[in-house]
Amino acid sequence: MKLGIVGLPNVGKSTLFNSLTKAGAESANYPFCTIDPNIGVVAVPDERIVKLGELYKSKKVTPATIEFVDIAGLVKGASKGEGLGNQFLSNIREVDAIVHVVRCFEDSNVVHVDGTVDPLRDIETINLELVFSDIEILERRKSKVVRGAKNDKALAKELALVERLIAHLEEGKLAKTFSVNDEDEEAFLSTYNLLTIKPVIFAANVKEDEVADDGAANPYVAKVREYAATENCEVFVICAKIEEEISELDDDEKAMFLEDLGLKESGLDKLIKASYHLLGLISYLTSGEDETRAWTIKAGTKAPQAAGKIHTDFERGFIKAEVIQYQDLMDCGSIAAAKEKGLVGIEGKDYVVKDGDVILFRFNV
């Protein structure tokens, strides 16, 4: 999974990135300090693979990962060359979802690029820049398609779609609210890789004393939640400063620190949950003496396609899958005991993999 972190300058974006990835992106109280996109890979915390690894005495335990791309601070007019221009936009066209950090705190020591704190205005500013960038992409596509549209029905159909889509975006609407007429148009739309069609998670950045109650009394957070509900987006509340402190601690210290603050989980944990929920993702597990590993797939994936995540040969030569739920395996203490109790299922090609399934694939190529 790959997530792009965006936001206006001085909203806490790079501080959050640093704390999530410990990658050390420069953080300073002025715009554009993150000029090149910073990339960090983060392990998805999952105690199941740790315990499975112990059960199987695995030589290696490999978690699922998330790749974060931290992008330079946007300003109004970026798509027309203001600030750093829209050079950053190409870096987030390949991400699965966009994490939009929104400032929901007052602090006279941290300058807001527009002078005042207004999360909905900030969201609109970013959205418009993404819209303008999408229009630019579509205008380029239109100039290529228009030449052959007179003599090619497929290109003529695509041209009509592109023109409708441009008109939709020019009204300030996002591509995710655009309605296609049929599967052909759906197929065309999927090839454009538009930014405003990507799922969005809002990270509401609040003060230290507002995290424990999840920003319940913060009017800015309330506005972000209200907006997100209308756009089918996820929201999670964080304090980038606290996340920065957490990132310096080991696991035991981190647990104590969170407990002292009255927090059940870190911002990274919240973000991962929001990402998995928004993108409809689950994890299945494989375990053995050599390695225990978590594999991320879309909910609803069938066994052969899940096997293909490990290697294409597994999907191509799929025979069957031996499946047991993680908790059943741990309760039994061994796969042999689980088999004696009839808890290990032998599943075929139509089996839909569930979160927490521990699977052994049988295949023959």
Side-chain angles (χ1 to χ4, degrees):
M1 178 162 51
K2 192 172 183 178
L3 302 176
I5 303 181
V6 302
L8 289 170
N10 297 346
V11 297
K13 181 176 59 63
S14 290
T15 303
L16 177 63
F17 173 81
N18 287 350
S19 60
L20 293 181
T21 65
K22 299 182 184 176
E26 185 185 356
S27 177
N29 180 23
Y30 56 90
F32 317 126
C33 63
T34 313
I35 294 174
D36 295 313
N38 287 271
I39 296 174
V41 178
V42 175
V44 175
D46 191 339
E47 66 173 9
R48 297 175 302 185
I49 57 170
V50 176
K51 291 181 178 178
L52 263 184
E54 291 170 356
L55 181 67
Y56 279 85
K57 296 181 172 58
S58 303
K59 294 172 187 169
K60 187 165 70 168
V61 174
T62 307
T65 59
I66 296 179
E67 185 174 301
F68 288 103
V69 184
D70 177 37
I71 312 298
L74 265 179
V75 289
K76 199 170 186 177
S79 60
K80 294 181 173 62
E82 292 296 320
L84 291 170
N86 63 359
Q87 68 184 56
F88 89 102
L89 295 168
S90 61
N91 297 308
I92 58 169
R93 289 208 177 271
E94 302 307 317
V95 301
D96 299 301
I98 293 171
V99 180
H100 184 166
V101 184
V102 186
R103 178 170 168 174
C104 294
F105 65 89
E106 299 277 0
D107 186 342
S108 58
N109 295 317
V110 181
V111 181
H112 190 289
V113 74
D114 285 326
T116 56
V117 176
D118 183 344
L120 295 188
R121 178 201 59 211
D122 294 354
I123 289 169
E124 186 180 354
T125 297
I126 296 284
N127 280 350
L128 279 175
E129 296 311 315
L130 301 184
V131 163
F132 292 146
S133 179
D134 281 351
I135 290 173
E136 187 180 324
I137 290 289
L138 290 168
E139 289 287 4
R140 280 190 221 147
R141 182 62 192 162
K142 180 182 172 181
S143 66
K144 288 180 181 177
V145 171
V146 74
R147 298 169 199 156
K150 290 180 183 177
N151 304 312
D152 186 317
K153 286 184 179 178
L155 288 179
K157 187 170 187 176
E158 184 181 3
L159 178 60
L161 168 71
V162 169
E163 288 176 338
R164 273 175 34 233
L165 189 47
I166 288 172
H168 178 86
L169 293 169
E170 284 178 338
E171 291 176 9
K173 298 174 184 174
L174 307 182
K176 67 173 74 174
T177 64
F178 181 78
S179 298
V180 294
N181 293 328
D182 54 36
E183 288 182 1
D184 289 341
E185 288 194 346
E186 181 74 49
F188 285 135
L189 187 59
S190 67
T191 64
Y192 304 144
N193 215 3
L194 300 177
L195 296 172
T196 61
I197 213 165
K198 292 184 184 295
V200 175
I201 303 164
F202 290 107
N205 190 12
V206 300
K207 286 185 172 180
E208 291 95 324
D209 58 359
E210 294 178 320
V211 185
D213 67 353
D214 214 29
N218 186 313
Y220 297 133
V221 173
K223 286 182 179 179
V224 174
R225 285 195 169 121
E226 193 177 314
Y227 173 83
T230 66
E231 297 291 326
N232 197 28
C233 299
E234 292 277 330
V235 179
F236 73 103
V237 173
I238 49 118
C239 171
K241 282 186 178 179
I242 286 176
E243 294 304 315
E244 198 169 31
E245 290 178 47
I246 289 173
S247 71
E248 302 300 324
L249 305 175
D250 63 31
D251 287 347
D252 290 339
E253 290 173 327
K254 174 181 160 184
M256 289 174 59
F257 185 67
L258 289 172
E259 192 177 330
D260 288 345
L261 291 170
L263 299 175
K264 293 179 181 176
E265 55 190 354
S266 69
L268 177 59
D269 296 330
K270 286 184 185 179
L271 175 53
I272 288 169
K273 282 183 182 175
S275 306
Y276 271 65
H277 182 256
L278 186 67
L279 296 170
L281 301 174
I282 61 170
S283 292
Y284 77 86
L285 316 166
T286 56
S287 196
E289 192 178 315
D290 287 334
E291 183 181 34
T292 291
R293 185 163 180 167
W295 304 88
T296 303
I297 56 171
K298 283 267 190 188
T301 300
K302 292 186 177 179
Q305 288 69 50
K309 187 84 176 176
I310 300 173
H311 197 285
T312 52
D313 284 351
F314 282 35
E315 181 176 356
R316 195 156 49 93
F318 179 87
I319 300 172
K320 63 183 180 180
E322 293 182 14
V323 183
I324 181 171
Q325 259 290 308
Y326 164 79
Q327 197 55 55
D328 288 341
L329 176 56
M330 298 309 294
D331 290 345
C332 290
S334 73
I335 195 70
K339 283 180 177 178
E340 283 180 15
K341 292 185 178 181
L343 294 173
V344 179
I346 305 300
E347 307 293 351
K349 292 182 177 180
D350 290 329
Y351 177 73
V352 177
V353 176
K354 300 178 184 67
D355 186 63
D357 276 350
V358 182
I359 306 179
L360 174 64
F361 293 107
R362 300 293 186 188
F363 69 103
N364 182 30
V365 178

